[in-house]
Amino acid sequence: MSARRSLVHALADADLGLRRGVVDLAPASDAWARAFTHVHGVLRATAPASVTAIEHIGSTAVPGLDAKPIMDIGIGVRPGTRLASLDDWLTGLGMLLRGDATDVRPDRMYGYELQPMIRLVNVHVLEHDSQAWRDYLRFRDHLRSRSEDRDEYGILKQSLAAQHPDDRLAYIDGKADFIIARRGDAR
């Protein structure tokens, strides 16, 4: 089976998918971790030599946390690697280039959709062991190890989703202080 078809197979029954721009949370699902395991296998088997790590990041990586049903994957590359050098690999797997780092995110981003405008996966490419890479992992690991913060974050996300159902940037901005404070706790 081709790598592209393997991705489709891995994600087809993963309880993932949300229309771009919409903020809607889904109950935590064990299917997210299983899907990541399969996606990780496909990515690892086809990755260029510059890829040093592939991690499940974001809320779908935290058991028991409701999340937008979009899996976030961090791909770490060797320092000095041009992030755009992964374009052919990722677009060849069916990913859509979403853009370079901005003031909202520190990475080159790709999206994966089985149907137009329905996002299943966001792929974040950045230098392995950069500050942004460590921040992604610290926050994920903090929420995995501290259920009280995971639950508080879940409540915040539910409130923000209710306030901003069609404004992802406002939703993201509303989470920023919580994320920054907890990343600091985890250092």
Side-chain angles (χ1 to χ4, degrees), residues 165-185:
D166 297 312
D167 188 348
R168 257 199 213 162
L169 289 180
Y171 172 80
I172 290 167
D173 287 346
K175 299 185 304 178
D177 289 343
F178 185 95
I179 292 169
I180 291 166
R182 295 331 180 271
R183 274 194 330 234
D185 288 351

Side-chain angles (χ1 to χ4, degrees), residues 1-59:
M1 180 182 309
S2 74
R4 195 172 187 153
R5 290 187 60 213
S6 293
L7 276 181
V8 170
H9 179 73
L11 294 167
D13 297 319
D15 297 332
L16 293 168
L18 186 62
R19 180 162 298 285
R20 270 198 251 162
V22 171
V23 179
D24 189 24
L25 302 182
S29 173
D30 294 337
W32 297 337
R34 289 191 304 273
F36 174 74
T37 298
H38 294 293
V39 171
H40 179 273
V42 172
L43 294 174
R44 179 52 55 208
T46 60
S50 60
V51 172
T52 59
I54 301 168
E55 293 278 346
H56 190 185
I57 59 175
S59 294

Side-chain angles (χ1 to χ4, degrees), residues 76-77 79 106 125-136 138:
V77 297
V125 178
L126 59 166
E127 283 192 2
H128 183 257
D129 210 32
S130 63
Q131 184 64 50
W133 178 265
R134 290 191 304 270
D135 287 345
Y136 276 138
R138 276 190 193 111

Side-chain angles (χ1 to χ4, degrees), residues 4 86-97 110:
R4 195 172 187 153
L86 274 63
D87 286 356
D88 288 345
W89 170 51
L90 292 170
T91 59
L93 291 172
M95 305 280 176
L96 306 169
L97 176 60
Y110 303 79

